[in-house]
Amino acid sequence: MFKFFTSESVTEGHPDKVADYISDAILDACLAKDPNARVAIETAVTTNYCLIFGEISVNAKIDYETIIREAVKDIGYTKPEYGYDANQLQIDIRVKRQSADIALGVDKNKHKDLGAGDQGFVFGYAVDETETFMPLPIYLAHRLAERLAYVRKNDIVFGIRPDGKTQVTVAYDELGKPSNINTIILSTQHDPYWTQADLHQAIMDYVIQPVMKDYDLSDTVIKINPTGRFVTGGPDGDAGLTGRKIIVDTYGGYARHGGGAFSGKDPTKVDRSASYMARYIAKNIVASGIASRCEIQIAYAIGIAEPVSFYIDTFGTNKVPLKKIYDVVRKHFKLTPSGIIKILDLNHPIYRSTSRYGHFGKDNVTFSWERLDKVDLFKDL
């Protein structure tokens, strides 16, 4: 008896991801000039229009309009016929300084430590299904979306536009192990001249087959542009907002989510930085071999540095007592906002690239929370 699990990803030209990318581009610009900048910026996009709004406190002058146009150009919206053109955008800027009440709770207090930027709880997860310790459905969905953008940007397939979505369904056996790829769905925006038959063949040859070369697709259901046409897309086809792809950003629904979005937030916002720390801990635990699955939850109160709760769940796969795992985490991982920022080195302009193809499971050079430098601490158990 198989269990089926499905996850989706989207390309950087998806309207919600356009919004995420702009928000994180602004965050990076602020941190490049002021590592202690406080940023909570939201973006909304629709046909040839971009609104940024929120709170920014930064000791520098930021050219928001130039940042926005460069971000949109980087995504690939550079032609009037796309309905979203970096050169023709109407830009509306509604930015104010961070609330004094919030700053009071976050700024270093009498204990010389940063308080959490908000209350809330976060999750981190890792599983040994893939070499990146990500669940297989979201891993493959991201790789398909990433490849779709690659063939567009490198002119491997001409006439592909920036918007796109992917979805992968994996069949799991009774032991909970991936058995086969049940379904692949891929939708790509395209120029009007494409016939669907030609487009299907090009996507199979240059996107799906290269990504899925190690998998048997003989019984896999593959659907490409199920509606039969996808010319109008991106912000021209649907409005986009920051933070509407939080499941795409994390584990594809395979693990729980605390509900907080990431993009546009500086690392004092624990719904972002603590999610990174939770992933970091979970990944090192699973990579050490002492558990095949691990979920971490951390909870905070605004203005208070130490978490109000913390738990580790290995779903019964742990090979050593949980108490020993807890002891290692308490000793070697500081879970206050300042501790997380220091350990993961988060006060730098590294965030623009997080908004594409998930925040987890990518390289550990840019994404410090993907490092496996704590594995030996757990192996020693």
Side-chain angles (χ1 to χ4, degrees):
M1 182 68 179
F2 289 119
K3 167 190 171 184
F4 298 96
F5 197 90
T6 301
S7 296
E8 74 159 354
S9 182
V10 297
T11 64
E12 61 211 63
H14 184 282
D16 294 329
K17 277 296 155 193
V18 173
D20 284 345
Y21 190 68
I22 290 170
S23 292
D24 276 334
I26 291 170
L27 171 61
D28 276 357
C30 293
L31 291 176
K33 293 187 175 182
D34 179 3
N36 296 311
R38 298 288 168 74
V39 180
I41 196 70
E42 310 289 343
T43 302
V45 296
T46 187
T47 304
N48 271 334
Y49 176 80
C50 176
L51 165 67
I52 64 166
F53 58 103
E55 298 78 46
I56 294 180
S57 297
V58 59
N59 293 318
K61 183 173 177 58
I62 305 298
D63 185 350
Y64 298 116
E65 183 168 329
T66 296
I67 294 165
I68 292 167
R69 293 192 192 279
E70 288 299 319
V72 173
K73 188 181 299 182
D74 187 36
I75 292 168
Y77 285 115
T78 56
K79 298 180 180 180
E81 57 264 36
Y82 291 172
Y84 206 71
D85 179 5
N87 299 311
Q88 297 184 2
L89 277 183
Q90 177 187 346
I91 296 173
D92 197 354
I93 300 169
R94 304 295 179 93
V95 177
K96 57 187 178 181
R97 290 185 63 82
Q98 184 183 59
S99 158
D101 290 348
I102 294 176
L104 183 66
V106 179
D107 287 340
K108 288 188 176 181
N109 53 32
K110 63 182 179 180
H111 303 294
K112 308 299 181 185
D113 208 351
L114 291 172
D118 201 353
Q119 73 173 47
F121 58 94
V122 303
F123 288 97
Y125 185 78
V127 64
D128 63 1
E129 290 179 9
T130 63
E131 61 183 12
T132 62
F133 300 96
M134 290 290 286
L136 185 59
I138 189 65
Y139 172 80
L140 292 176
H142 282 324
R143 300 294 74 78
L144 288 167
E146 192 173 37
R147 177 69 183 178
L148 183 58
Y150 179 84
V151 302
R152 169 177 63 86
K153 290 190 168 186
N154 289 276
D155 294 328
I156 295 171
V157 180
F158 290 94
I160 298 296
R161 295 183 175 185
D163 196 0
K165 301 182 80 171
T166 62
Q167 186 170 291
V168 176
T169 301
V170 174
Y172 288 81
D173 63 22
E174 55 274 4
L175 299 177
K177 300 296 183 182
S179 175
N180 60 77
I181 309 303
N182 180 264
T183 306
I184 296 172
I185 302 173
L186 189 150
S187 295
T188 181
Q189 188 187 14
H190 58 86
D191 285 347
Y193 65 77
W194 277 101
T195 67
Q196 289 303 304
D198 288 343
L199 182 65
H200 285 207
Q201 192 61 55
I203 295 301
M204 280 298 301
D205 290 346
Y206 297 105
V207 179
I208 293 177
Q209 292 291 355
V211 172
M212 306 299 297
K213 63 183 184 298
D214 295 329
Y215 296 88
D216 179 6
L217 301 183
S218 56
D219 294 324
T220 302
V221 176
I222 299 176
K223 296 182 182 294
I224 299 170
N225 281 20
T227 62
R229 178 181 167 89
F230 187 5
V231 174
T232 302
D236 187 39
D238 191 11
L241 293 170
T242 305
R244 283 206 301 197
K245 285 292 175 282
I246 58 176
I247 301 303
V248 171
D249 284 344
T250 51
Y251 307 100
Y254 200 93
R256 284 177 282 194
H257 195 294
F262 297 161
S263 290
K265 296 177 180 177
D266 74 79
T268 67
K269 280 71 173 176
V270 287
D271 43 4
R272 181 172 211 164
S273 56
S275 293
Y276 293 168
M277 177 57 88
R279 161 67 177 175
Y280 180 48
I281 298 170
K283 184 178 180 182
N284 276 269
I285 288 172
V286 173
S288 75
I290 64 169
S292 58
R293 296 170 62 196
C294 183
E295 184 177 73
I296 304 289
Q297 189 200 52
I298 316 173
Y300 294 87
I302 189 169
I304 298 174
E306 292 289 343
V308 297
S309 75
F310 171 77
Y311 88 73
I312 302 169
D313 189 352
T314 59
F315 306 93
T317 68
N318 52 297
K319 299 175 183 177
V320 301
L322 273 175
K323 182 184 183 303
K324 290 188 176 183
I325 302 175
Y326 273 101
D327 289 343
V328 170
V329 174
R330 290 191 183 100
K331 183 176 180 180
H332 296 282
F333 296 85
K334 193 161 179 61
L335 302 182
T336 63
S338 60
I340 293 170
I341 291 168
K342 182 178 181 181
I343 291 171
L344 298 181
D345 198 21
L346 297 179
N347 273 348
H348 299 286
I350 58 172
Y351 297 99
R352 183 187 304 227
S353 56
T354 65
S355 65
R356 297 171 167 177
Y357 321 115
H359 292 241
F360 306 119
K362 295 193 284 191
D363 77 87
N364 59 17
V365 176
T366 303
F367 302 150
S368 57
W369 49 94
E370 293 296 316
R371 295 188 313 237
L372 292 175
D373 55 345
K374 303 295 186 184
V375 167
D376 288 343
L377 296 175
F378 298 106
K379 277 186 177 180
D380 288 345
L381 298 179

